[in-house]
Amino acid sequence: MVAALVRGAFLVNAVYAESAREFGITAQQGQLLCVLMPGPYGMGELGTTLGLAKSSLTGLVDRTERNGLVRRGPDPRDSRAVRIALTRKGAALAERFYAETCRRVERLTAELTDADRDTLAALLGSVVTANKVPVVFHEPDPGIEVRATN
Amino acid sequence: MVAALVRGAFLVNAVYAESAREFGITAQQGQLLCVLMPGPYGMGELGTTLGLAKSSLTGLVDRTERNGLVRRGPDPRDSRAVRIALTRKGAALAERFYAETCRRVERLTAELTDADRDTLAALLGSVVTANKVPVVFHEPDPGIEVRATN
DNA sequence: AGGGGTTAGTTCGTGCCACGAATTTCCCAT
DNA sequence: ATGGGAAATTCGTGGCACGAACTAACCCCT
């Protein structure tokens, strides 16, 4: 059990990192983009979501901003706070990176039957929610298009 | 499915890293110790097992050696090669770190029934083996003691 | 008003991690 | 013996993560 979880995590990480690399970003920057896909976040929220210290986040956002993928904007409610949002370029890259990463991770379960895949998803899903894992990767869009985004 | 895998990996990683931190090592050094638990490895093997470039490994082994957890020994077969082995201190720490990490990862599945846990282990296990994930974390010792190690 | 405590982010210094390119040493097959 | 390839290390670069110290703004309370 434990070994399966740890090695599974290792595998997913490797795939994630390699996917990121091919898009010219690091895994951490990719994660940041994915978190921001639904909408802007403040630094504080990002810190708790990604499990990073404030000071770690400043640097990550700096580097990602320098790459033109993300933008710091003012928070109308609070002038010390800051809203991090995807730039147009960042949103486009996030979309592509997200899709490609989904494809690759999905392919890891290629040899499972559909039923097994569903079971695995359900079990892992319950572990994830029971442990209150932040949404560092949102559910893919199911078939029907009902986008309100943008 | 994908989201469950990615978030699960995120969760396991966080637990792993926190466990390592409490033993005064980094996640990478902890992983190195775990890989070395069954016996010594050469740099090359370590590289493929951990998925790291040779040059990355030199540094990791340097730092871990500096901490007194690991030792470079000569390879009798090949004088350029090197065998990395746990020191006595490293073996002791590895044992404790491994056990504690197992406890913590296991606790993540606390709310599953035994049957569900078995199912999850089996499914994840088949994904892991189908994708030829190296043994970066070996199976815990089942009850009966049949050690040949050391 | 106007402080005192709190919160949001940044800065700074440190150490770790990962990589590629270049290098050295050695093995081995021809 | 020699030339190709494998095993490691070195070097330089850049990203990542942290804690401690700091600044600016908010909030509340009197």
Side-chain angles (χ1 to χ4, degrees), chain B residues 118-140:
Chain B
D118 287 352
T119 311
L120 177 56
L123 290 175
L124 258 185
S126 80
V127 168
V128 158
T129 63
N131 288 281
K132 302 198 182 50
V133 180
V135 187
V136 314
F137 203 85
H138 60 79
E139 219 54 65

Side-chain angles (χ1 to χ4, degrees), chain A residues 21 43-44 54-55 58 72 80-82:
Chain A
R21 169 181 269 260
M43 291 297 253
K54 297 179 300 178
S55 54
T58 300
R72 280 176 166 95
R80 6 174 225 180
V82 133

Side-chain angles (χ1 to χ4, degrees), chain A residues 16-33 64 67 69 93-94 97:
Chain A
Y16 198 98
E18 188 190 344
S19 180
R21 169 181 269 260
E22 292 183 17
F23 283 93
I25 57 179
T26 64
Q28 289 86 350
Q29 294 183 19
Q31 208 162 37
L32 177 58
L33 296 187
T64 314
N67 291 350
L69 304 176
L93 182 59
F97 168 66

Side-chain angles (χ1 to χ4, degrees), chain A residues 22-146:
Chain A
E22 292 183 17
F23 283 93
I25 57 179
T26 64
Q28 289 86 350
Q29 294 183 19
Q31 208 162 37
L32 177 58
L33 296 187
C34 287
V35 167
L36 289 177
M37 283 179 72
Y41 270 64
M43 291 297 253
E45 302 169 274
L46 278 180
T48 61
T49 306
L50 295 176
L52 294 179
K54 297 179 300 178
S55 54
S56 312
L57 217 53
T58 300
L60 179 57
V61 171
D62 281 349
R63 290 183 294 271
T64 314
E65 190 172 31
R66 194 186 313 145
N67 291 350
L69 304 176
V70 117
R71 185 178 45 235
R72 280 176 166 95
D75 182 336
R77 300 286 203 163
D78 185 341
S79 73
R80 6 174 225 180
V82 133
R83 311 245 70 195
I84 314 297
L86 294 173
T87 60
R88 181 184 299 274
K89 178 179 166 196
L93 182 59
E95 204 72 48
R96 294 197 303 131
F97 168 66
Y98 176 80
E100 176 63 16
T101 304
C102 279
R103 284 206 323 111
R104 295 185 184 213
V105 172
E106 202 131 39
R107 204 181 315 139
L108 297 178
T109 67
E111 80 299 339
L112 293 184
T113 67
D114 286 1
D116 279 352
R117 227 187 325 269
D118 288 352
T119 311
L120 178 55
L123 289 175
L124 259 185
S126 79
V127 168
V128 158
T129 61
N131 289 280
K132 303 198 180 47
V133 181
V135 187
V136 308
F137 204 83
H138 60 79
E139 219 52 67
D141 239 349
I144 311 124
E145 295 277 333
V146 195

Side-chain angles (χ1 to χ4, degrees), chain B residues 26 28 53 55-56 63 78-80:
Chain B
T26 64
Q28 288 85 351
S55 54
S56 312
R63 292 183 292 271
D78 185 342
S79 73
R80 340 166 253 188

Side-chain angles (χ1 to χ4, degrees), chain B residues 70-135:
Chain B
V70 118
R71 184 179 44 235
R72 280 175 167 95
D75 182 335
R77 301 287 205 163
D78 185 342
S79 73
R80 340 166 253 188
V82 131
R83 312 245 71 196
I84 315 296
L86 294 173
T87 60
R88 181 185 300 271
K89 178 179 165 195
L93 182 59
E95 204 72 48
R96 293 197 303 130
F97 167 66
Y98 176 79
E100 175 64 16
T101 304
C102 280
R103 284 207 321 112
R104 294 185 185 213
V105 171
E106 203 132 39
R107 204 180 317 141
L108 296 178
T109 67
E111 78 300 338
L112 293 184
T113 67
D114 286 1
D116 279 353
R117 228 188 324 268
D118 287 352
T119 311
L120 177 56
L123 290 175
L124 258 185
S126 80
V127 168
V128 158
T129 63
N131 288 281
K132 302 198 182 50
V133 180
V135 187

